[in-house]
Amino acid sequence: MGKLKFSKDQYLKWYEEMLLYRKFEEKAGQLYIQQKIRGFCHLYIGQEALVAGAASVLLKDDNMITAYRDHVHPMAKGVTPRAVMAELFAKSTGCSKGKGGSMHMFSKEHRFFGGHGIVGGQIPLGAGIAFADKFLGNDNVTLCYMGDGAVRQGAFHEALNMAMTWKLPVVFIIENNNYAMGTSVERTSNITDLYKLGHAYEMPSSAMDGMTVEDVHFAIEEAVLRARKGDGPTLLEMKTYRYRGHSMSDPAKYRTKEEVEEYKAQDPIQKVLKTIIENKWASDEELETINNRVKDVVEDSVTFAEESPYPEASELYTDVYAEADYPYIVD
Amino acid sequence: MRTIQFREALREAMSEEMRKDPTIFLMGEEVAQYDGAYKVSQGMLAEFGEKRVIDTPIAELGFAGIGVGAAMNGLRPIIEFMTFNFSLVAIDQIINSAAKITSMSGGQFSVPIVFRGPTGSAGMLSSQHSQAFENWYANCPGLKVIVPSNPNDAKGLLKSAIRDNNPVIFMESEQMYGDKGEVPDGEYLIPIGVADIKRKGKDVTIVSFGKIMKVVLNAAEELSKEGIDAEVIDLRTVRPIDYATVIESVKKTNRLVLVEESWPLGNISTEVAFKVQKDAFDYLDAPIKRVNCMDVPLPYAPSLIEAFLPNIERVVKEVKSVMYRK
Ligand SMILES: Cc1ncc(C[n+]2csc(CCOP(=O)(O)OP(=O)(O)O)c2C)c(N)n1
Ligand SMILES: [Mg+2]
């Protein structure tokens, strides 16, 4: 595809963003092994282009929502690595005040509507966020991410039908990494080209290479334009791969080393780096500066998280109801 | 006696029943090729084959309903939810179908199905993954609800559940699967609806069930060091509830503390307390107390989890309060 449609600056931005996502997640994985991060921990390593290719399209007031593999998406919407890392550490300075954790990043300020833990649960919510924008008459667009496993839920089909019928400004993005935990896509349905599910609702639908950030950008750009014009939703199937297990506790025995290597050979960050080097857009020194900057940002996020306090026990009784004086049962 | 893990006890119960009755099958997410998300069904695909150990897509409403339909038409499904948090996606089929069909059909159809999986909190997973729905399901006529606390009870009760001709909710815990306990070699059944006195005592009755029984038994040990002799009753089944065993114990100890991992409004503790004040009012020497979860969603931070869950300290405190001791 027409790679040169993008500027040097865009490539350097993509490189730095995706490297940050990668290094941040690698760090989170290490910290999980050290038990500084606990609970479930689902890493985005390998899938970075799906979010970087959206960041280069979205406007500030556009919305994003996703499932529980949600450390990276909020950063693309402007949430700081500090706020995400602090949330992973369960600290009160986290983007959900230490109440949501790994699976539940939120930032109203950055129009990030959350990480959601029930597979498929966020899909109608994404359509609903778009419903509100249409109702209110503004031209914001919502990106609603989901895993390949989520498209087998009724919620997906109900939401797609209504979104299409009502022409809601939403883009449904399937992060097709070919596995839902240990279950490969072909074991869950006769329909393995997931974008085709949109055809049942006559929704514009297509598949693309999710390991190539330019392709992701083009697809999202077209879909976002359609939504902004009032022409309704789009379903995008992005073929990608998670290099790590489903979560930190998954040994991933259901796939071969060769399969993992095959995808690593198409690494989205390496591809962007190659383009930068081929075009001589950055010297080794300049790349080193970027790498160091990313390293510093990640380290800084960890220091910030470590030094932040846990929420006070009294925080149990805040943020549950809209009113502060709700009469909880306390025996 | 031999000692096995909780998960092995469950596996034995299912496998033994499946060997005897070819209409039983196990269905759920990751139960077959992955050997179970928590390894409960490890090896079962190898033994029983794809026809009877079946991986599903992530489609709880669909496969729960398929289970109910199959049960109406002669099979005896075991449906595994990866956790009961996800059973909410399927709850329409459990409440509106499984629990109602026998009644709606005037007794023509029975629904012999088991829905099983872990319930309750399991560490830092935040509010969508930490919920206990025992009292929700127990509220619904037509269902039976079993919540075992150790491998021995788990095996005997699961076998009874599989043989039962009603829909049965069978709740486990991620935090119990690795627990070891004595389980007899031969076949045995434990009847549904019968409580078990896990510790004999004379000073106070503590009633609980499921995973939190561990907290209660440890609290009883603490109390004994201070000269308080607690009787600990494990309900084991929360629908139907064995009120008689509780009331008999209260008549002896005259004091009752209920411990349950659940939100306080309308839970099992409330229900048992109602029954005891009604049927044993004259025997009570102190108000009934309960130790439950706080009345809020369970957040992620360890500082908040600690403040939310029943623990030994809180149980000891409430027991002392019903004994008017400091
Ligand atoms: C309703 C529901 N069922 C089951 C689960 C347990 N679970 C968590 S993630 C997952 C797999 C989801 O896979 P996919 O949608 O492909 O997303 P990925 O993990 O690949 O990003 C499952 C079964 C859940 N969280 N919610
Ligand atoms: Mg997937």
Side-chain angles (χ1 to χ4, degrees):
Chain A
M1 271 205 172
K3 282 185 182 173
L4 294 175
K5 276 187 72 171
F6 299 101
S7 66
K8 162 187 160 183
D9 285 352
Q10 181 61 66
Y11 274 96
L12 288 172
K13 198 158 183 287
W14 273 334
Y15 176 67
E16 184 158 349
E17 279 169 356
M18 290 199 285
L19 193 67
L20 172 64
Y21 303 159
R22 173 77 48 96
K23 295 295 169 196
F24 183 95
E25 291 289 66
E26 285 176 354
K27 192 76 195 174
Q30 289 164 11
L31 291 162
Y32 190 89
I33 290 164
Q34 296 167 23
Q35 296 193 338
K36 291 195 174 171
I37 296 172
R38 308 211 316 264
F40 293 156
C41 186
H42 312 88
L43 303 178
Y44 210 62
I45 296 174
Q47 303 185 194
E48 294 88 351
L50 273 45
V51 166
S56 50
V57 174
L58 291 191
L59 304 178
K60 191 171 148 286
D61 284 342
D62 289 331
N63 313 303
M64 203 186 267
I65 187 169
T66 188
Y68 49 84
R69 196 178 295 285
D70 67 339
H71 307 163
V72 160
H73 303 71
M75 292 194 256
K77 281 296 291 161
V79 180
T80 63
R82 281 183 164 199
V84 178
M85 191 60 87
E87 192 58 36
L88 289 173
F89 271 72
K91 298 298 181 74
S92 61
T93 51
C95 59
S96 305
K97 298 193 200 166
K99 296 183 173 187
S102 169
M103 297 190 284
H104 308 299
M105 303 291 166
F106 282 85
S107 174
K108 187 172 180 185
E109 179 193 350
H110 296 98
R111 308 193 68 82
F112 182 70
F113 286 76
H116 296 265
I118 304 301
V119 170
Q122 81 281 15
I123 306 171
L125 299 181
I129 294 160
F131 179 95
D133 279 325
K134 184 170 174 153
F135 186 101
L136 294 169
N138 58 48
D139 67 355
N140 303 339
V141 175
T142 298
L143 296 196
C144 178
Y145 286 83
M146 68 201 77
D148 47 279
V151 306
R152 310 310 184 191
Q153 286 283 34
F156 169 83
H157 294 270
E158 296 180 25
L160 254 66
N161 182 44
M162 285 182 268
M164 192 60 203
T165 307
W166 298 336
K167 295 260 185 303
L168 302 182
V170 54
V171 183
F172 298 107
I173 299 174
I174 305 170
E175 301 168 326
N176 184 0
N177 58 20
N178 202 39
Y179 293 93
M181 284 194 171
T183 305
S184 61
V185 167
E186 65 268 17
R187 293 210 292 124
T188 62
S189 175
N190 292 329
I191 313 297
T192 53
D193 286 324
L194 304 180
Y195 72 95
K196 288 182 182 165
L197 295 171
H199 293 161
Y201 308 101
E202 298 181 353
M203 186 181 293
S205 304
S206 55
M208 65 274 338
D209 173 13
M211 306 299 273
T212 304
V213 70
E214 297 93 329
D215 290 2
V216 172
H217 175 103
F218 283 130
I220 293 180
E221 185 174 50
E222 188 189 344
V224 163
L225 271 177
R226 176 180 298 125
R228 240 192 264 293
K229 276 195 313 206
D231 290 344
T234 303
L235 176 65
L236 302 176
E237 176 191 357
M238 304 202 167
K239 309 239 199 240
T240 184
Y241 206 74
R242 57 166 161 76
Y243 297 173
R244 302 290 184 90
H246 167 73
S247 67
M248 287 300 293
S249 58
D250 170 25
K253 289 190 197 138
Y254 42 82
R255 58 186 199 186
T256 60
K257 257 210 173 89
E258 291 73 47
E259 185 180 297
V260 180
E261 290 311 316
E262 191 188 313
Y263 278 94
K264 282 188 178 171
Q266 313 167 40
D267 188 74
I269 305 177
Q270 289 306 317
K271 275 190 211 161
V272 165
L273 183 59
K274 191 160 165 260
T275 306
I276 290 170
I277 291 170
E278 277 173 7
N279 287 284
K280 301 198 169 56
W281 281 334
S283 63
D284 286 354
E285 219 165 75
E286 284 163 324
L287 289 172
E288 198 50 31
T289 307
I290 296 177
N291 296 353
N292 285 335
R293 196 155 57 218
V294 163
K295 213 168 135 208
D296 289 347
V297 169
V298 173
E299 281 309 321
D300 169 71
S301 76
V302 176
T303 309
F304 175 77
E306 279 185 323
E307 288 173 355
S308 296
Y310 285 118
E312 298 285 337
S314 61
E315 280 287 312
L316 261 186
Y317 293 104
T318 61
D319 307 322
V320 179
Y321 284 94
E323 54 275 66
D325 60 349
Y326 176 85
Y328 296 96
I329 297 176
V330 287
D331 278 5
Chain B
M1 207 185 296
R2 74 195 172 116
T3 295
I4 62 172
Q5 284 186 351
F6 199 104
R7 58 164 64 80
E8 296 172 302
L10 296 171
R11 187 187 312 145
E12 284 187 5
M14 291 191 284
S15 299
E16 286 174 20
E17 294 305 304
M18 285 176 73
R19 280 173 208 134
K20 275 192 293 244
D21 181 346
T23 67
I24 302 169
F25 66 91
L26 172 65
M27 180 184 265
E29 291 155 18
E30 309 291 352
V31 297
Q33 289 194 20
Y34 199 74
D35 270 337
Y38 298 102
K39 304 297 165 218
V40 171
S41 54
Q42 193 155 38
M44 288 179 66
L45 172 66
E47 176 172 357
F48 297 103
E50 288 180 351
K51 186 177 173 189
R52 297 180 70 196
V53 180
I54 304 162
D55 279 329
T56 64
I58 307 169
E60 286 85 0
L61 181 68
F63 67 74
I66 285 170
V68 175
M72 292 173 72
N73 195 23
L75 301 186
R76 304 185 78 84
I78 303 170
I79 302 294
E80 177 176 305
F81 293 121
M82 198 173 282
T83 80
F84 265 94
N85 297 288
F86 315 141
S87 78
L88 293 199
V89 178
I91 199 167
D92 172 59
Q93 289 293 354
I94 302 173
I95 304 293
N96 276 322
S97 299
K100 304 291 190 302
I101 280 168
T102 303
S103 165
M104 291 190 299
S105 68
Q108 297 177 76
F109 288 97
S110 61
V111 183
I113 188 169
V114 176
F115 296 103
R116 49 157 289 271
T119 183
S121 66
M124 290 171 60
L125 303 180
S126 196
S127 49
Q128 291 183 326
H129 280 73
S130 303
Q131 306 170 92
F133 296 114
E134 289 87 322
N135 60 320
W136 290 40
Y137 287 112
N139 186 253
C140 181
L143 301 178
K144 295 183 182 178
V145 183
I146 299 170
V147 199
S149 68
N150 65 36
N152 177 70
D153 291 356
K155 181 172 178 185
L157 281 162
L158 183 53
K159 284 168 72 86
S160 294
I162 294 167
R163 292 186 196 186
D164 201 276
N165 284 327
N166 302 284
V168 179
I169 308 287
F170 191 96
M171 298 172 131
E172 305 150 13
S173 162
E174 294 98 314
Q175 294 180 330
M176 283 198 295
Y177 286 136
D179 288 359
K180 289 192 162 177
E182 291 191 341
V183 174
D185 266 320
E187 164 152 325
Y188 65 98
L189 295 172
I190 293 175
I192 298 171
V194 179
D196 185 41
I197 301 174
K198 288 278 182 323
R199 187 181 192 284
K200 283 266 178 211
K202 59 179 188 341
D203 295 333
V204 58
T205 303
I206 310 178
V207 171
S208 187
F209 58 86
K211 173 187 78 189
I212 214 77
M213 276 293 299
K214 288 195 260 186
V215 168
V216 173
L217 289 168
N218 286 329
E221 280 313 303
E222 288 296 310
L223 287 162
S224 77
K225 287 180 203 154
E226 302 190 39
I228 297 172
D229 186 17
E231 178 141 300
V232 178
I233 298 178
D234 180 357
L235 287 178
R236 300 198 293 197
T237 301
V238 296
R239 186 181 190 100
I241 292 174
D242 181 357
Y243 299 106
T245 298
V246 177
I247 285 168
E248 207 176 307
S249 173
V250 171
K251 284 182 176 172
K252 179 175 73 180
T253 64
N254 313 112
R255 295 159 209 277
L256 176 61
V257 173
L258 298 137
V259 184
E260 176 183 2
E261 183 183 336
S262 144
W263 293 306
L265 200 153
N267 61 12
I268 304 296
S269 307
T270 327
E271 169 58 25
V272 173
F274 163 77
K275 212 49 177 187
V276 170
Q277 66 80 31
K278 180 175 139 301
D279 293 346
F281 185 76
D282 291 337
Y283 292 89
L284 285 171
D285 285 348
I288 299 167
K289 293 288 185 77
R290 62 179 177 177
V291 178
N292 293 160
C293 298
M294 299 305 157
D295 194 17
V296 297
L298 176 53
Y300 172 74
S303 53
L304 301 179
I305 295 175
E306 202 178 293
F308 175 93
L309 287 174
N311 56 30
I312 295 175
E313 214 183 330
R314 286 176 60 205
V315 176
V316 167
K317 179 167 166 268
E318 293 306 334
V319 166
K320 286 186 177 171
S321 92
V322 302
M323 303 210 49
Y324 302 111
R325 281 190 37 175
K326 283 255 156 29

